[in-house]
Amino acid sequence: MFIIDSSANNIKNVIHAFFLSLAITIAEPSTILPLMVHHFSESVIMVGIFASLLRGGAIMIQLYAAFHAQAYKKVMPYLGKVFFFRWISWFSIGVSIFFIGDNNKSLTLFLIGLGLFFFSFTAGFGAIYFKELQAKLFSKKYRGKTMANRQIAGSIASIISGGIAGYVLNNYEAPLNYAYLFMVSSALMVIGFGIFVTIEEPEKEHVLVKEKNFKLFITNAIALLKKDKRLQRQILTIFLSFSYFLSMPFVILNAHSSFTLTGWMLGGFITVQMLGSIIGSTFLWRRIHDYEKMLSLSFIFMILAFVIALFANDVYTYACIFLLFGIALDGFNISGMNLVIEIAPEEKRPIYTALQTNITSIGLFFPVLGGVILKIVGNYTLIYLLSIGLLMLGLYFSKGLKKSI
């Protein structure tokens, strides 16, 4: 008999987050990824494109995933396939850097981009299945706790990963150090995936009959979006939360132009960001079950980070920025997932999830816009101010979500 809020499922949920974070922190879009891309290309626009690739590929597939998932009573068998393709994509990046590397920088960069795209693309399916599982396995109150537990476990893993990354980056020459990081992290990723697929999943009681074709599904999804004003406002607010991406990938490059960045400093920034995640999840997000309030607070922390970035010129100030990044990002992640679960009817949950994720995830391409602006203007202050302005607009809209219920 299935037990909701099972401690066993919570533990597996948390272990999965630990090993996944241990693996993917080595391509953190605010620290290591920009420097790795910068090794193979001097273009800041290219840095923006790759920061988008890490997560942006998921946009293209989520509505199609929801089209099928709405009729599934169980999603775990499909999630297992997603895990396999994500792993092979990640491992291929390390292999490409190791065997090609500086011998053909353009080809290496292309293969890194291809691996990141497919890693992100398959996550489009995974995001739909993952949210379905979280809604099935845990009640509203417990879900907030288990997601905070995931964030804490992931942050601890990222601190460990940051230390490892700092050691590798400091003791091995580029680009082999990046190759080692990707290949070793692939092995850690498998552990988390393997444990998660053993979670006991109940059958879904209410499912929809799948439309005859994907075109009809899209028509119905658009009609649903037009009808639900609350979903519209929520999507706009969460889309604006992604405006931090206009500037985040370039903060580390600005730091690099202000002082010499060592491998240990880079690992230290990752550690500080994850400490922010732990502090936020332990002392703040675990205690808040009002997800509208959580979203508003996340906006405030992110705005504060960029205000400080306007004046940053030493390692300690940048550490403060990354600490605030860690607090805010966890708040955005937890609130965004729970808000869509709370407003969606059970049988329409995949559709609501896909609509919110697809539309808001357009914001994942903000780094490209940030890179173009930085290339033209050559001024970090401008993109910081743009991020602050859009985040303040998002904060304003977040305050009205309660009223739109």
Side-chain angles (χ1 to χ4, degrees), residues 331-351:
F332 282 142
N333 290 336
I334 296 172
S335 59
M337 189 197 80
N338 281 286
L339 282 169
V340 73
I341 289 174
E342 290 306 309
I343 67 171
E346 180 187 11
E347 68 277 8
K348 295 180 181 179
R349 199 160 49 219
I351 305 172

Side-chain angles (χ1 to χ4, degrees), residues 237-273:
T237 306
I238 294 175
F239 169 74
L240 288 169
S241 76
F242 281 100
S243 56
Y244 68 82
F245 259 133
L246 261 172
S247 307
M248 181 181 279
F250 308 105
V251 170
I252 196 69
L253 297 183
N254 195 13
H256 191 49
S257 66
S258 301
F259 50 85
T260 302
L261 267 179
T262 66
W264 287 117
M265 275 187 195
L266 195 58
F269 285 149
I270 294 172
T271 299
V272 169
Q273 183 172 325

Side-chain angles (χ1 to χ4, degrees), residues 49-336:
I49 290 172
F50 274 72
S52 297
L53 277 176
L54 181 59
R55 295 188 174 96
I59 296 174
M60 304 176 62
I61 202 66
Q62 289 205 19
L63 278 170
Y64 184 72
F67 167 57
H68 292 284
Q70 62 181 329
Y72 294 159
K73 291 187 174 181
K74 288 191 173 186
V75 297
M76 188 63 83
Y78 306 97
L79 188 59
K81 295 176 183 177
V82 168
F83 285 163
F84 172 75
F85 283 107
R86 294 199 84 194
W87 172 79
I88 202 73
S89 300
W90 195 258
F91 182 68
S92 71
I93 296 172
V95 171
S96 301
I97 298 172
F98 184 82
F99 285 104
I100 303 173
D102 287 342
N103 294 325
N104 189 332
K105 287 190 174 184
S106 296
L107 178 59
T108 303
L109 200 59
F110 172 78
L111 292 173
I112 292 171
L114 196 65
L116 289 175
F117 173 78
F118 279 109
F119 183 78
S120 177
F121 182 81
T122 50
F125 284 97
I128 299 295
Y129 304 149
F130 179 78
K131 289 183 176 71
E132 272 293 290
L133 281 168
Q134 297 300 309
K136 282 181 174 184
L137 299 174
F138 308 112
S139 63
K140 175 182 178 179
K141 187 174 182 180
Y142 197 88
R143 193 185 315 121
K145 289 182 179 179
T146 192
M147 287 306 297
N149 290 339
R150 278 180 61 89
Q151 300 289 46
I152 293 169
S155 299
I156 292 171
S158 296
I159 290 172
I160 297 170
S161 184
I164 295 170
Y167 174 81
V168 173
L169 293 172
N170 210 53
N171 288 277
Y172 296 92
E173 292 293 323
L176 281 180
N177 50 12
Y178 299 121
Y180 295 149
L181 287 174
F182 271 93
M183 289 191 286
V184 171
S185 65
S186 298
L188 299 171
M189 191 179 290
V190 168
I191 299 172
F193 287 162
I195 290 172
F196 193 82
V197 295
T198 65
I199 283 179
E200 177 192 356
E201 178 192 6
E203 283 197 354
K204 189 174 181 179
E205 294 183 8
H206 303 103
V207 295
L208 293 178
V209 176
K210 189 167 68 174
E211 288 88 346
K212 291 182 179 180
N213 55 63
F214 184 55
K215 183 179 179 181
L216 181 57
F217 169 79
I218 292 294
T219 301
N220 292 339
I222 292 172
L224 186 154
L225 179 60
K226 288 180 178 178
K227 183 179 178 181
D228 196 325
K229 301 298 181 184
R230 158 65 192 230
L231 180 60
Q232 292 174 22
R233 188 179 185 108
Q234 185 168 298
I235 285 173
L236 174 60
T237 306
I238 294 175
F239 169 74
L240 288 169
S241 76
F242 281 100
S243 56
Y244 68 82
F245 259 133
L246 261 172
S247 307
M248 181 181 279
F250 308 105
V251 170
I252 196 69
L253 297 183
N254 195 13
H256 191 49
S257 66
S258 301
F259 50 85
T260 302
L261 267 179
T262 66
W264 287 117
M265 275 187 195
L266 195 58
F269 285 149
I270 294 172
T271 299
V272 169
Q273 183 172 325
M274 295 311 125
L275 280 173
S277 175
I278 292 173
I279 291 168
S281 292
T282 303
F283 300 106
L284 193 58
W285 308 137
R286 279 174 61 90
R287 303 171 188 274
I288 298 176
H289 306 302
D290 180 340
Y291 298 114
E292 290 87 357
K293 180 180 179 181
M294 184 185 295
L295 183 60
S296 296
L297 286 171
S298 301
F299 273 110
I300 292 170
F301 281 115
M302 189 60 78
I303 290 168
L304 182 58
F306 284 115
V307 169
I308 295 172
L310 288 169
F311 309 99
N313 57 14
D314 60 62
V315 66
Y316 301 106
T317 314
Y318 276 97
C320 183
I321 294 168
F322 284 105
L323 183 78
L324 291 169
F325 279 167
I327 296 173
L329 289 174
D330 271 14
F332 282 142
N333 290 336
I334 296 172
S335 59

Side-chain angles (χ1 to χ4, degrees), residues 2-16 137-138 142 146 195-196 198-200:
F2 173 76
I3 302 173
I4 195 167
D5 297 341
S6 161
S7 59
N9 285 339
N10 175 52
I11 290 170
K12 292 175 183 178
N13 199 28
V14 171
I15 290 174
H16 167 253
L137 299 174
F138 308 112
Y142 197 88
T146 192
I195 290 172
F196 193 82
T198 65
I199 283 179
E200 177 192 356

